[in-house]
Amino acid sequence: LPGLSAPDPLGAALMIVAGIAWAGYTLRASRFADPVAANAGHFLRASLPAALLYLLLGQLQASPAAIGYALASGALASGLGYALWYLVLPHLGRTLAASVQLLVPLLAALAGLIWLDESWSLRLVLSTLGILGGIALVIAGRPPSGEKSS
């Protein structure tokens, strides 16, 4: 029953750290000559310690199908998502890019509605309106194409 109690403080703190790390990673990776190749290298280097942890922590049990789904989700879905992100990032600018990233929770919620038969709620509708309204305000406040803001 989500929403009935306050979030776990440790979980909330970890999510904040993850958000800050994602912002830093996005800003740093956008400076690479080939951010898609750099990102692929980061995925590869991160997978090696993850595989070692999996092997060292014997209490973790996963079926071959679960491992396959995790690899497909991480390597394919995330990898393609990052590649697309770094292709469009130079055309968005930092402010719009930061705002567009707010669509991620909304897209996840919509995927839950479509594929997991989740149900709409007033909270979801209000959150959707808030996210889309905030992004609309950012887009409306941008200077016309070709002009630079001071």
Side-chain angles (χ1 to χ4, degrees):
L1 300 172
L4 290 181
S5 62
D8 170 47
L10 176 61
L14 290 173
M15 287 303 295
I16 290 168
V17 169
I20 292 168
W22 164 248
Y25 184 80
T26 296
L27 291 173
R28 183 167 183 249
S30 67
R31 294 185 186 118
F32 292 130
D34 186 354
V36 174
N39 191 63
H42 296 151
F43 264 72
L44 180 61
R45 286 188 296 280
S47 66
L48 297 175
L52 283 173
L53 279 174
Y54 176 77
L55 293 172
L56 292 174
L57 301 174
Q59 71 267 20
L60 295 177
Q61 299 203 2
S63 68
I67 293 171
Y69 292 140
L71 289 172
S73 171
L76 295 178
S78 295
L80 291 174
Y82 279 106
L84 177 62
W85 177 247
Y86 287 117
L87 288 174
V88 300
L89 187 60
H91 306 288
L92 295 177
R94 290 181 177 173
T95 302
L96 183 58
S99 300
V100 170
Q101 285 182 340
L102 295 174
L103 285 173
V104 172
L106 175 57
L107 294 174
L110 291 176
L113 290 170
I114 294 168
W115 290 296
L116 300 176
D117 201 28
E118 297 280 342
S119 58
W120 282 94
S121 68
L122 180 59
R123 177 187 291 179
L124 180 59
V125 171
L126 293 175
S127 299
T128 298
L129 292 174
I131 290 169
L132 294 176
I135 293 171
L137 287 172
V138 169
I139 292 171
R142 286 183 57 149
S145 200
E147 292 182 27
K148 297 217 180 213
S149 61
S150 51

